[in-house]
């Protein structure tokens, strides 16, 4: 068993897609040669947000929708840490959707893992941002009227540094994506198809299994326009793998360049200079 | 009138429909998600709007918009979600817009837990958001009262053009009791001629929440505080329960008041005379009656499901005239009749 797994009793439904995700992420972390002390897992609120409790690493269980800014703050003061924000589709794309957009823009060196089961689990089955139109739930008895959110297309449209889609029924593929995302220098978003066996009777393991396929060898994840086109593929066929990546300077490096230094931990630095280009104003 | 056995959350939802709620905007959070579930079924049946937003913040601003358009509108949440709505509540008060906000509060601070609590008292009655403003706060104690105060909340919101908070807790939201839906005949309300309706033949409507001229803003604040003064004169509601000439006055609201009624009854069997003052309106606070009864009893015992919040208002009301004791359980714990009675006996030496 991975040294990143602990013995805390798991409070997920039997058969939940989260179990595979937990195992695959723990194994990916240990196979990367990371020590638990080097890793911080930050979560929000929801069934997915319980995951960091079950992983033997530093944990910050924050609040609903805000795991990305918390992860940003942790990484900003200690860029050597491996910082992973982990939560569900409701937390990351609904409550915290605005934070996701601005994190992409800043490109901090963090990994965001989204357990995407297209439904709210913790509050017992309401439509989430990724629920498909007409999805029937306890609070959408006539079917949801909103169109579903497309996180990968959004990320590519904003020239995200790294974005991938995994599936908890594809162990090797998911583990490989986790490893690439965690090693990636810059902001990496991993949307994981993770069936909710209790509240989503549409998007089941079988539903995903019938549709997912790995991106072929010849697929070029570095072409933003073709990656965007690929990101729109959803329905009968759902591509898995790294859909887009773009090497860019990361937030902390850009700050250090301005400061002419290598870390934030030395208290003698003059933080004022970071903001020298910002003119005082009124709001 | 037929009695129906209903869960508190469902009862609030049904009462809102009967009170003429045109739109509801929510976001899931335990222990109040049943309000959304119930309304998601019933609002479309009534040809009215139910919508689950992407966040609590979005839902309070959907309320802001619907209120500005002159419709009866409600949102609900619990502790952490209500915190997110505070900015919007300040703006609603500032724009003088009527809206009903239900808080089935839970243990805090932070995410806390999903057990019942009264630790959002300060947040509700002292403003919660920024700026000089007040929100009418109603503190139901039974499922029936949840229904009755929901009718009242919509009426008061329209009457005073001000947000109204129904401050329940997870216990009241989740418990089942028989209820009767008997909508009172409220006096007629003025037409909402300020609403943004887009109709022809009149000057355009302005709904604002700011005045950059400090003299203008002070004038505005004086105006809304005159309104709050009227609310304090006309809208105080409370219940007095128990013995005449008590040895001690108990003060408690909501779920705690239910427990205190049992305390009063058990104490009577022991020959201890107690009376309970139960505030029904938490803002406006029934200070005058508390002051009067406190002086008659000579001693006050305030009980809450928090670390001591309403007790500050009780002390202000009593103004040092008699001793005010406090007992609170926090974090989702509920004071028991036995523990409360023991503390009372210790204080009285009986």
């Amino acid at each position: 068993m991975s040294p990143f797994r602990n013995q805390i009793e798991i409070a997920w439904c039997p058969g939940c897609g989260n179990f595979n995700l937990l195992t695959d992420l723990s194994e990916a972390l240990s196979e990367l040669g990371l020590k638990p002390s080097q890793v911080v897992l930050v979560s929000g609120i929801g069934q997915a947000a319980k995951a960091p409790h079950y992983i033997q690493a530093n944990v910050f269980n924050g609040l609903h929708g805000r795991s990305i800014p918390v992860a940003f703050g942790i990484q900003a003061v200690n860029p050597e840490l491996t910082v992973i924000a982990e939560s569900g589709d409701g937390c990351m794309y609904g409550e915290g959707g605005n934070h996701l957009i601005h994190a992409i823009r800043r490109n901090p060196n963090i990994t965001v893992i989204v357990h995407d089961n297209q439904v709210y689990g913790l509050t017992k089955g309401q439509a989430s941002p990724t629920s498909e139109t007409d999805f029937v739930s306890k609070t959408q008895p006539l079917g949801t009227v909103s169109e579903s959110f497309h996180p990968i297309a959004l990320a590519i449209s904003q020239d995200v540094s790294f974005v991938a889609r995994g599936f908890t029924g594809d162990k090797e593929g998911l583990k490989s994506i986790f490893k690439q995302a965690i090693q990636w220098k810059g902001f990496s978003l991993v949307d994981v198809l993770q069936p909710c066996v209790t509240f989503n009777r549409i998007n089941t393991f079988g539903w995903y299994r019938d549709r997912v396929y790995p991106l072929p060898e010849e697929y070029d994840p570095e072409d933003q326009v073709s990656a965007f086109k690929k990101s729109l593929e959803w329905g009968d066929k759902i591509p898995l793998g790294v859909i887009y990546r773009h090497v860019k300077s990361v937030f902390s490096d850009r700050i250090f360049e301005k400061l002419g230094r290598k870390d934030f931990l030395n208290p003698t630095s003059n933080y004022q200079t970071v903001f020298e280009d910002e003119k005082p104003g009124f709001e | 009138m037929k009695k129906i056995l209903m869960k508190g959350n469902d009862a609030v939802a049904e009462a809102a429909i009967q009170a003429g709620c045109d739109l509801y905007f929510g976001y899931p959070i335990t222990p109040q998600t049943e309000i959304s579930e119930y309304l998601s079924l019933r609002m479309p049946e009534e040809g009215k709007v139910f919508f689950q937003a992407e966040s609590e913040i979005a839902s309070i601003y959907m309320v802001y918009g619907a209120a500005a358009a002159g419709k009866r509108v409600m949102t609900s949440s619990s502790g952490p979600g209500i915190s997110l709505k505070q900015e919007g509540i300040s703006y609603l008060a500032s724009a003088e817009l009527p809206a009903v906000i239900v808080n089935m509060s839970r243990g805090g601070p932070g995410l806390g837990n999903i057990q019942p609590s009264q630790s959002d008292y300060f947040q509700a009655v002292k403003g919660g958001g920024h700026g000089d403003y007040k929100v009418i706060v109603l503190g139901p104690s039974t499922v029936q009262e949840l229904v009755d105060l929901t009718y009242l909340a919509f009426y008061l919101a329209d009457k005073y053009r001000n947000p109204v908070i129904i401050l329940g807790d997870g216990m009241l939201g989740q418990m089942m009791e028989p209820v009767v839906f008997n909508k009172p005949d409220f006096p007629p309300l003025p037409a909402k001629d300020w609403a943004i309706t887009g109709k022809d033949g009149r000057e355009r409507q302005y709904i604002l929440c700011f005045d950059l001229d400090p003299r203008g803003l002070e004038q505005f604040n004086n105006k809304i505080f005159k309104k709050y003064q009227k609310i304090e004169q006309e809208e105080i509601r409370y219940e007095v329960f128990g013995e005449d000439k008590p040895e001690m006055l108990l003060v408690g609201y909501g779920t705690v008041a239910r427990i205190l009624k049992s305390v009063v009854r058990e104490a009577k069997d022991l020959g201890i005379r107690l009376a309970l003052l139960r505030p029904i309106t938490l803002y406006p606070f029934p200070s005058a009656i508390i002051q009067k009864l406190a002086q008659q009893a000579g001693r006050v015992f305030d009980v809450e499901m928090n670390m001591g919040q309403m007790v500050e208002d009780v002390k202000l009301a009593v103004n040092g005239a008699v001793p005010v004791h406090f007992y609170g359980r926090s974090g989702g714990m509920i004071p028991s009749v036995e523990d409360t009675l023991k503390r009372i006996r210790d204080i009285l030496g009986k």
Side-chain angles (χ1 to χ4, degrees):
Chain A
M1 198 170 81
S2 160
F4 280 91
R5 281 286 294 112
N6 60 28
Q7 301 299 318
I8 292 173
E9 194 185 349
I10 294 180
W12 287 327
C13 305
C16 177
N18 282 332
F19 285 97
N20 288 353
L21 196 157
L22 180 65
T23 306
D24 298 345
L25 178 60
S26 308
E27 289 180 12
L29 288 166
S30 48
E31 286 170 26
L32 285 172
L34 289 162
K35 284 186 266 180
S37 61
Q38 297 171 309
V39 177
V40 182
L41 289 144
V42 182
S43 70
I45 301 301
Q47 289 292 355
K50 293 177 181 174
H53 295 264
Y54 310 140
I55 294 177
Q56 196 59 29
N58 304 288
V59 175
F60 188 103
N61 195 163
L63 61 162
H64 191 46
R66 320 289 168 211
S67 56
I68 292 176
V70 172
F72 177 88
I74 291 170
Q75 218 277 339
V77 293
N78 198 344
E80 301 307 311
L81 285 172
T82 294
V83 181
I84 300 170
E86 189 174 10
S87 208
D89 41 299
C91 195
M92 291 292 194
Y93 302 149
E95 187 88 33
N98 197 35
H99 301 309
L100 174 70
I101 293 169
H102 295 283
I104 291 171
R105 198 164 70 76
R106 298 185 185 118
N107 199 33
N109 189 20
I110 63 173
T111 298
V112 173
I113 296 173
V114 184
H115 301 221
D116 186 355
N117 56 14
Q118 301 180 256
V119 74
Y120 284 92
L122 190 68
T123 51
K124 305 198 204 90
Q126 298 80 29
S128 83
T130 50
S131 295
E132 287 177 38
T133 308
D134 297 328
F135 179 77
V136 173
S137 83
K138 279 186 197 162
T139 50
Q140 288 76 25
L142 307 175
T144 177
V145 290
S146 305
E147 289 182 19
S148 58
F149 181 73
H150 294 286
I152 296 175
L154 172 96
I156 297 170
S157 78
Q158 297 306 307
D159 195 25
V160 69
S161 193
F162 180 105
V163 62
R165 181 189 285 121
F167 170 46
T168 55
D170 168 29
K171 185 178 177 67
E172 287 315 310
L174 184 57
K175 234 164 77 173
S176 161
I177 287 170
F178 282 153
K179 285 191 201 169
Q180 293 176 65
I182 293 164
Q183 280 185 304
W184 188 259
K185 198 148 168 25
F187 184 86
S188 52
L189 171 66
V190 185
D191 184 77
V192 185
L193 305 177
Q194 169 262 306
C196 174
V197 295
T198 303
F199 298 114
N200 190 337
R201 301 303 171 93
I202 308 289
N203 311 104
T204 59
F205 269 106
W207 189 92
Y208 289 120
R209 204 167 271 129
D210 290 345
R211 288 164 174 80
V212 295
Y213 73 97
L215 286 167
E217 290 271 316
E218 63 273 18
Y219 176 75
D220 175 13
E222 283 167 16
D223 179 335
Q224 190 182 7
V225 173
S226 65
F228 184 78
K229 205 170 164 197
K230 183 53 78 180
S231 74
L232 299 177
E233 203 176 300
W234 180 268
D236 293 341
K237 290 184 82 187
I238 302 171
L240 298 180
V242 179
I243 297 177
Y244 180 61
R245 59 174 189 241
H246 178 193
V247 178
K248 304 160 82 168
S249 64
V250 301
F251 179 83
S252 49
D253 288 349
R254 288 200 298 263
I255 295 271
F256 295 148
E257 202 181 315
K258 284 180 188 288
L259 289 171
R261 50 184 298 115
K262 278 280 188 320
D263 63 72
F264 276 140
L265 299 177
N266 185 337
T268 61
S269 89
N270 178 6
Y271 291 93
Q272 275 319 111
T273 61
V274 180
F275 305 106
E276 67 190 359
D277 58 336
E278 301 212 351
K279 302 282 182 292
F282 297 102
E283 213 173 317
Chain B
M1 190 71 70
K2 205 173 99 186
K3 279 197 171 185
I4 312 166
L5 187 64
M6 267 185 124
K7 198 180 221 192
N9 284 334
D10 293 345
V12 167
E14 180 58 34
I17 286 173
Q18 295 191 16
C21 178
D22 298 300
L23 305 96
Y24 168 90
F25 302 103
Y27 186 81
I29 184 169
T30 311
Q32 66 77 52
T33 305
E34 293 86 356
I35 298 176
S36 286
E37 289 174 359
Y38 189 93
L39 289 173
S40 73
L41 276 167
R42 285 282 285 119
M43 291 294 263
E45 276 176 16
E46 298 284 323
K48 294 179 173 179
V49 175
F50 163 88
F51 194 73
Q52 177 189 312
E54 72 273 23
S55 68
E56 291 87 348
I57 298 173
S59 63
I60 192 71
Y61 290 107
M62 290 170 182
V63 166
Y64 197 9
K71 294 293 179 185
R72 281 197 161 175
V73 58
M74 181 168 96
T75 185
S76 65
S77 192
S78 183
I82 297 290
S83 293
L84 287 164
K85 293 181 193 291
Q86 289 304 327
E87 180 192 66
I89 296 170
S90 163
Y91 279 74
L92 282 160
S94 160
E96 295 200 85
L97 292 175
V100 175
I101 300 126
V102 180
N103 180 1
M104 290 301 180
S105 53
R106 51 188 253 175
L111 187 73
N113 60 28
I114 59 172
Q115 311 307 320
S117 172
Q118 295 182 330
S119 52
D120 298 351
Y121 176 88
F122 278 153
Q123 184 194 53
V125 307
K126 304 295 180 193
H130 60 282
D132 276 327
Y133 75 99
K134 303 264 186 190
V135 174
I136 297 170
V137 183
L138 309 176
S141 180
T142 62
V143 177
Q144 182 63 55
E145 206 174 32
L146 271 171
V147 169
D148 298 339
L149 293 184
T150 302
Y151 296 136
L152 181 66
F154 279 97
Y155 172 73
L156 292 179
D158 279 348
K159 182 176 175 187
Y160 294 102
R161 289 182 58 186
N162 204 67
V164 177
I165 291 179
I166 298 172
L167 187 62
D169 63 47
M171 177 85 96
L172 290 165
Q174 296 293 324
M175 69 166 44
M176 292 184 87
E177 284 184 326
V179 289
V180 175
F181 289 91
N182 194 4
K183 189 183 166 191
D185 287 323
F186 292 113
L189 289 161
K192 293 184 175 180
D193 54 6
W194 43 264
I196 294 171
T197 55
K199 75 179 179 196
D200 286 337
R202 57 150 166 75
E203 287 295 299
R204 65 177 176 153
Q205 303 281 40
Y206 260 122
I207 292 193
L208 297 177
C209 56
F210 63 91
D211 191 333
L212 298 182
D213 172 9
R215 281 162 300 194
L217 185 54
E218 189 183 46
Q219 253 173 30
F220 172 78
N221 289 345
N222 285 337
K223 182 189 124 188
I224 58 172
F225 270 73
K226 268 202 187 110
K227 177 170 85 176
Y228 302 147
Q229 212 170 28
K230 188 162 183 266
I231 291 170
E232 287 168 18
Q233 281 159 6
E234 295 182 9
E235 304 300 346
I236 287 172
R237 287 164 172 82
Y238 58 87
E239 179 193 4
V240 181
F241 175 90
E243 308 304 301
D244 293 336
K245 300 195 179 102
E247 301 159 65
M248 179 186 265
L249 176 70
L250 309 184
V251 183
Y253 77 94
T255 294
V256 166
R258 303 167 69 100
I259 297 160
L260 293 181
K261 285 186 178 177
S262 299
V263 170
V264 170
R265 287 191 204 98
E266 291 203 11
K268 190 181 181 186
D269 295 342
L270 297 167
I272 302 169
R273 298 178 66 83
L274 299 177
L276 164 69
L277 182 290
R278 176 174 77 88
I280 296 171
T281 50
L282 300 172
Y283 178 81
F285 193 68
S287 303
I289 184 74
I290 289 177
Q291 187 186 37
K292 187 178 145 203
L293 296 180
Q295 280 180 343
Q296 287 170 6
R299 205 173 270 285
V300 178
F301 190 53
D302 173 281
V303 184
E304 298 173 55
M305 282 161 24
N306 58 43
M307 298 301 287
Q309 299 194 9
M310 184 176 73
V311 67
E312 292 190 5
D313 288 334
V314 172
K315 283 181 176 170
L316 281 172
V318 171
N319 200 18
V322 300
V324 176
H325 305 269
F326 171 73
Y327 174 47
R329 295 300 302 272
S330 169
M333 297 299 290
I334 297 166
S336 70
V337 173
E338 297 72 32
D339 285 350
T340 310
L341 194 52
K342 186 182 174 302
R343 279 168 169 77
I344 291 168
R345 295 178 73 175
D346 286 349
I347 294 163
L348 295 174
K350 285 197 169 181

